[in-house]
Amino acid sequence: MKDIQKRSNNFGNNFIAGITKELDQLDKELNKDNPDNNVIDELEQSLTECNYGIKIVKTIEIILGGGGPAMKIMYTPSTNEQSGSVDILYQDWGTEWTPAELSTEQYNQLWTYCERYYPEDLIEL
């Protein structure tokens, strides 16, 4: 197994173990006849602040072909809160999704296509 995979697994396992412990403590406190609101507040604060930030990214995935090879467009429209992006990706059996290297003109054409036919209002949360 690759070193990065081991590190990712370790991080994920440790994070889940930590929040599981806190969620269990929170459930126990909430189920008491006289729950301690200070303990509840501390646990809820810990659980909601255990990250560097939250970002909701709305992405449209346009499948162009499946199987091997497969192609897709990943399009994130621009909003007031975030700049958008668009990539056309290719994958064959046993390979990673790989973005095509596009010229500026090609990128702009892809962007125009996505903006015109796949507007942001297609995405619902």
Side-chain angles (χ1 to χ4, degrees), residues 36-75:
D36 184 337
N37 289 330
N38 290 330
V39 172
I40 292 170
D41 290 345
E42 287 176 22
L43 287 166
E44 286 185 337
Q45 183 176 0
S46 176
L47 286 162
T48 58
E49 294 178 357
C50 64
N51 58 68
Y52 282 141
I54 298 170
K55 181 178 179 181
I56 298 172
V57 179
K58 302 174 181 181
T59 301
I60 297 172
E61 183 177 27
I62 306 160
I63 308 299
L64 302 174
M71 292 83 48
K72 67 181 176 180
I73 297 170
M74 295 300 288
Y75 169 54

Side-chain angles (χ1 to χ4, degrees), residues 76-125:
T76 304
S78 297
T79 66
N80 292 335
E81 298 84 32
Q82 68 186 34
S83 59
S85 65
V86 64
D87 282 303
I88 188 164
L89 299 118
Y90 174 88
Q91 180 188 48
D92 207 347
W93 295 104
T95 65
E96 300 285 324
W97 283 105
T98 305
E101 294 176 339
L102 304 176
S103 68
T104 301
E105 183 179 332
Q106 290 171 319
Y107 180 85
N108 290 339
Q109 283 292 71
L110 185 59
W111 186 263
T112 299
Y113 166 76
C114 290
E115 278 186 319
R116 181 172 296 157
Y117 296 106
Y118 304 98
E120 179 193 0
D121 58 3
L122 285 177
I123 304 173
E124 292 182 28
L125 288 178

Side-chain angles (χ1 to χ4, degrees), residues 15-31 39-40 42-44 46-48 50:
F15 179 78
I16 298 297
I19 64 169
T20 298
K21 181 180 175 183
E22 288 184 316
L23 287 168
D24 288 346
Q25 290 173 337
L26 181 61
D27 287 342
K28 286 177 186 175
E29 195 63 41
L30 290 170
N31 290 319
V39 172
I40 292 170
E42 287 176 22
L43 287 166
E44 286 185 337
S46 176
L47 286 162
T48 58
C50 64

